[in-house]
Amino acid sequence: MTSDLFHANRTFKDVVRHFAPAWFAVIMGTGAISTLFHAFPYGTGSQGLRIMTLIFFFLNLCLFITFCAISIVRYITFPDIWGIMIRHPVQSLFTGTFPMGAITILNIAVSLIHEDYGFGGKPFLYVLWAFWWLDVISSFLCCFGVMHFMITAQKHSLESMTSVWLLPVVTLIVASSGGGVIAPSLYKYSLNHAVITATFSIFMVSIGLSLALMMLTVYLLRLIVHGLPAGAGITSVFLPLGPTGQAGYSILLLGQFFKSILPLHYGDSELLNADATGASIHVICTIISLILWSLASMWLFFAVLGVQDVLRRTRIPFKVQVWGIIFPNGVYANLTLSLASTFDSPFFRVWGSIYSVATLIVWCLVASRTVMLAWNKQIFEAPCLGDIDMSKKSKCQETELKAVNPACNGRSTDTVHLT
């Protein structure tokens, strides 16, 4: 009751101060839902699915603009928070949700608004391409910058590790999927721009997937040695579906792109001018995507078993980090639907559709709970500020005790509490 009253008395300034980077996981999750509506195999291209895609797209765009504005105000009003946040061993990892959330918006802008509706033509597409390059820069800064701080300025241990460690490196994988979406559209206007985009996307997905697989190996060791994460951290067991599912989707798109443009029929490269190169790359990429889907399915089994084990013993507290479960499940469903289209497989089509609907239901449950907690301001808590706030609270309590009872002066804090 006291906690509820405390949160209810929070001002807008308090909300801004506690607006952590993890809120951009909301953008990622909502963007994944819009992608699933666009990719849903039953009623493909129907007006109903397009309307639902647009609804989630514009909702996501409004949320993204709002969150960016609040974040800018946060770091201008409280400039010290950036340094505190970037050195926090957990909160700093969520900076990767910003570029990943932006990519979900760009993908729908290209595939639906530009391609299906023909909006904006070449100028609009090149504006989106420029935004993609900005996202690429942000992704590299998040990946290498945050990992540098993890190595040099933060303290980590195997026991405290969760799959949230994946967030900085997955930014490169998600950005590469954006390249896989925009490259075919660029091909209509410039082969060179399309090839540069696709090649750089291969570069990014190779780095991101390699780092992710290394971390997943360590994470599996952590689970075996120390067991499942405690509290709300249990929801992070779904995060391994993100790099495996999104990397599979990105590689599948890039394979399809190179199949459509090769052979080049110019230049001196025998490889790029060979008739079989495009088809060979496509087959290899499809096989890799299928392998990554299998790995994602394996992590899905582990995640479901882990969550049900925890739920049988206790309740999982709801925090904004819970939004992190929607994007990984969404990209897993999206890869499944993409493989269904590639293989014309009823199994992938049905399983992908069922999983898409399940992900939408989870989104509805999480979104409704978030709105309720946001209304009474209970959900606005930045863990990186918790120690500072508790320290200030302790000092204030000690000052109040001294004011009420001057005899407390000179006593230790423990003595005051015992008095």
Side-chain angles (χ1 to χ4, degrees):
M1 186 71 177
T2 305
S3 177
D4 293 344
L5 184 61
F6 169 74
H7 289 296
N9 290 332
R10 277 184 168 178
T11 64
F12 177 72
K13 191 174 182 179
D14 295 324
V15 171
V16 170
R17 182 170 179 266
H18 283 269
F19 195 84
W23 275 97
F24 283 92
V26 177
I27 309 299
M28 294 174 62
T30 307
I33 298 299
S34 64
T35 300
L36 291 178
F37 272 112
H38 187 255
F40 201 73
Y42 300 103
T44 302
S46 65
Q47 195 63 20
L49 286 179
R50 285 185 174 182
I51 290 173
M52 291 304 299
T53 305
L54 286 173
I55 288 173
F56 276 90
F57 169 77
F58 284 110
L59 170 63
N60 209 28
L61 182 60
C62 291
L63 289 173
F64 181 76
I65 294 172
T66 302
F67 290 0
C68 286
I70 295 175
S71 298
I72 291 171
V73 172
R74 183 193 195 212
Y75 297 120
I76 292 176
T77 307
F78 308 101
D80 294 338
I81 287 182
W82 176 261
I84 297 169
M85 182 273 296
I86 205 66
R87 286 172 174 78
H88 193 272
V90 176
Q91 285 301 297
S92 60
L93 305 177
F94 283 94
T95 56
T97 58
F98 171 77
M100 288 191 283
I103 280 294
T104 64
I105 297 173
L106 284 174
N107 285 351
I108 295 299
V110 173
S111 59
L112 177 64
I113 296 179
H114 173 75
E115 286 295 327
D116 292 357
Y117 286 106
F119 178 82
K122 181 178 178 180
F124 179 67
L125 180 64
Y126 271 82
V127 168
L128 295 178
W129 191 45
F131 279 124
W132 178 76
W133 280 110
L134 289 175
D135 194 276
V136 167
I137 294 171
S138 299
S139 298
F140 271 97
L141 289 174
C142 285
C143 178
F144 293 102
V146 172
M147 287 195 66
H148 174 72
F149 274 102
M150 290 177 70
I151 295 169
T152 61
Q154 299 171 0
K155 291 184 179 181
H156 296 274
S157 65
L158 184 63
E159 185 175 4
S160 65
M161 178 194 186
T162 68
S163 57
V164 176
W165 280 21
L166 291 166
L167 287 178
V169 302
V170 180
T171 56
L172 298 182
I173 298 175
V174 176
S176 73
S177 70
V181 170
I182 201 170
S185 298
L186 286 171
Y187 179 51
K188 296 183 297 184
Y189 304 107
S190 172
L191 173 61
N192 287 336
H193 292 165
V195 171
I196 290 171
T197 302
T199 304
F200 202 79
S201 296
I202 292 175
F203 172 69
M204 287 190 292
V205 74
S206 300
I207 296 174
L209 182 60
S210 299
L211 289 171
L213 292 177
M214 295 176 198
M215 288 187 176
L216 284 174
T217 303
V218 178
Y219 179 60
L220 182 60
L221 173 65
R222 178 253 182 270
L223 290 177
I224 294 172
V225 175
H226 297 289
L228 295 167
I234 185 61
T235 58
S236 67
V237 295
F238 285 99
L239 289 183
L241 276 69
T244 48
Q246 193 70 354
Y249 176 64
S250 176
I251 291 170
L252 188 65
L253 288 179
L254 293 169
Q256 293 170 353
F257 170 75
F258 281 108
K259 179 187 177 183
S260 66
I261 68 165
L262 295 177
L264 291 180
H265 298 303
Y266 73 86
D268 298 326
S269 173
E270 294 183 6
L271 177 67
L272 297 180
N273 282 286
D275 293 334
T277 299
S280 299
I281 292 175
H282 183 220
V283 170
I284 293 171
C285 289
T286 303
I287 293 173
I288 294 173
S289 297
L290 183 59
I291 292 172
L292 290 171
W293 179 87
S294 302
L295 288 176
S297 300
M298 176 196 74
W299 282 109
L300 174 61
F301 297 148
F302 283 142
V304 172
L305 289 173
V307 170
Q308 66 84 29
D309 181 74
V310 171
L311 285 176
R312 283 192 294 108
R313 292 182 280 107
T314 183
R315 294 181 63 183
I316 300 174
F318 189 93
K319 297 183 181 295
V320 70
Q321 288 84 352
V322 173
W323 275 95
I325 69 174
I326 298 176
F327 180 79
N329 285 288
V331 298
Y332 171 75
N334 187 44
L335 174 59
T336 305
L337 294 177
S338 299
L339 290 173
S341 177
T342 300
F343 293 116
D344 191 23
S345 166
F347 166 75
F348 283 113
R349 189 175 298 113
V350 172
W351 175 235
S353 300
I354 293 173
Y355 209 85
S356 298
V357 173
T359 306
L360 175 61
I361 293 172
V362 173
W363 183 92
C364 292
L365 294 174
V366 173
S368 59
R369 181 64 175 161
T370 302
V371 171
M372 291 172 58
L373 293 177
W375 180 259
N376 57 26
K377 304 171 186 174
Q378 290 185 30
I379 200 170
F380 296 101
E381 289 185 84
C384 61
L385 303 179
D387 295 338
I388 297 174
D389 292 343
M390 287 302 296
S391 176
K392 290 181 178 179
K393 186 177 179 182
S394 297
K395 290 180 179 178
C396 288
Q397 288 175 342
E398 185 175 351
T399 302
E400 290 173 0
L401 282 169
K402 289 179 179 179
V404 173
N405 185 5
C408 293
N409 289 332
R411 297 182 184 179
S412 66
T413 304
D414 293 337
T415 306
V416 170
H417 287 299
L418 291 171
T419 302

